[in-house]
Amino acid sequence: MSGAHHAGARITTGGDPGETAGRQALADLPEPRQRFLGSLYGRNIRAVFARGLKATWGNNWSIMISGFVEPVLYLIAMGIGLGSLIGTVTGPGGEQVSYAAYIAPALLAVSAMNGAIYDSTMNVFFKLNFARLYEGMLATSLGPLDVAMGEILLALLRGGMYATGFTAVMAAMGLITSPAALLMIPAAVVIAFGFASIGMAITSYMKTFQQLDWVSFVMLPMFLFSATFYPLSVYPQSIQWVIQALPLWHGVEMLRQISAGAFGLETAGHLLYFVVMIGFGLVVTTRRLEALFQK
């Protein structure tokens, strides 16, 4: 059966009314675009998401909790313990804030990153290379974009849960003083989206478990040197340029500015960084899955 006929079969297959309407919209597109979207997108992201969600809650809930607890322990140990010795520091808006209030938004960004990276690297690696799950999915009407978005949405769910829980801890500790600070939750989800899309793209090139060690090798120094615990200005200028290229630094700075209510062009610039990161990761992941399983 030719590619055009195969795409047409996908479009006219029965389903619920919303899915049928979506397929009809796809059928109404010009033929070149129809063939392109028909091969990459089966309009069933929710099937991938639902399967992953059921598997995660059935087997990995304890691991999910551990990824949330680590930044909370850092906040308690560093914010309260070390913070009692440091006192106040200068926040993004120029106001003096407690050390705990200074590092809390940064650790929120770390929490979102942890949740997204775990799901988009270790879980995806096992499904890709050992369970061969994606190969089976792509043998159905699902396309690479369905698989990529379904897995990334799982990572976003975890990142969003971590962000919400961590924000609740911040509120309990009296570190949220403005309703605008609640915008840190959707902003943290954007951070998780960026890390999840890039994480899955990188994982698609990995072949051995040993290569996963590089994830921790990169994440640990990024966590320590992204101005998480002290200002960027403590570093020499040449090191500052390197740090400012790191995605976690942009996440840390964006959440600090939101927490302080110090919105500006810099905040928009940090957000744009993650938008570009998301787009790049999605394109690479989709193309990789297509190259691996749709030959």
Side-chain angles (χ1 to χ4, degrees):
M1 183 181 292
S2 68
H5 288 143
H6 184 62
R10 291 186 184 178
I11 293 167
T12 56
T13 301
D16 61 56
E19 190 172 350
T20 302
R23 285 171 173 159
Q24 184 58 49
L26 181 60
D28 292 337
L29 291 173
E31 186 66 20
R33 289 181 62 191
Q34 186 183 126
R35 287 198 301 269
F36 174 76
L37 291 176
S39 65
L40 296 182
Y41 184 33
R43 294 183 175 272
N44 201 7
I45 295 172
R46 63 185 177 185
V48 181
F49 177 78
R51 185 266 167 207
L53 185 62
K54 185 176 181 179
T56 298
W57 283 115
N59 301 308
N60 299 329
W61 63 270
S62 60
I63 298 176
M64 290 183 66
I65 293 175
S66 67
F68 163 73
V69 169
E70 182 181 351
V72 172
L73 294 178
Y74 270 108
L75 177 60
I76 295 172
M78 303 292 288
I80 297 178
L82 185 61
S84 63
L85 301 176
I86 294 177
T88 61
V89 296
T90 303
E95 298 181 359
Q96 293 295 307
V97 298
S98 68
Y99 184 66
Y102 179 78
I103 68 171
L107 290 172
L108 173 55
V110 173
S111 183
M113 177 187 72
N114 285 348
I117 286 294
Y118 176 83
D119 262 336
S120 63
T121 56
M122 298 180 187
N123 281 348
V124 167
F125 178 83
F126 179 79
K127 294 174 183 177
L128 183 65
N129 294 290
F130 291 90
R132 309 297 292 179
L133 182 64
Y134 300 148
E135 187 172 1
M137 287 182 175
L138 293 173
T140 68
S141 61
L142 293 173
L145 188 57
D146 297 277
V147 175
M149 285 301 301
E151 291 294 345
I152 289 171
L153 284 176
L154 283 170
L156 286 186
L157 176 63
R158 179 178 296 195
M161 290 172 57
Y162 284 7
T164 303
F166 194 89
T167 304
V169 172
M170 289 176 60
M173 294 176 64
L175 301 178
I176 293 181
T177 58
S178 169
L182 295 178
L183 292 174
M184 289 191 298
I185 296 177
V189 172
V190 173
I191 293 170
F193 199 168
F195 277 104
S197 58
I198 290 295
M200 191 170 181
I202 293 172
T203 304
S204 68
Y205 287 93
M206 293 182 179
K207 299 299 180 184
T208 66
F209 274 115
Q210 287 74 17
Q211 291 174 327
L212 286 172
D213 292 339
W214 284 95
V215 176
S216 299
F217 181 77
V218 171
M219 286 178 63
L220 181 59
M222 186 161 55
F223 164 55
L224 294 174
F225 292 99
S226 292
T228 310
F229 297 109
Y230 31 78
L232 184 67
S233 57
V234 303
Y235 296 106
Q237 186 63 52
S238 57
I239 302 299
Q240 290 184 29
W241 292 337
V242 175
I243 293 174
Q244 288 174 315
L246 300 175
L248 183 58
W249 178 82
H250 287 274
V252 166
E253 290 299 303
M254 179 169 64
L255 293 190
R256 276 201 179 121
Q257 290 164 9
I258 293 173
S259 177
F263 301 99
L265 290 178
E266 287 186 4
T267 312
H270 298 314
L271 182 61
L272 179 61
Y273 181 99
F274 282 100
V275 170
V276 174
M277 189 175 173
I278 290 166
F280 178 77
L282 282 176
V283 169
V284 173
T285 300
T286 302
R287 290 303 187 188
R288 279 292 297 164
L289 291 178
E290 183 184 32
L292 288 171
F293 299 125
Q294 291 195 342
K295 297 177 181 178

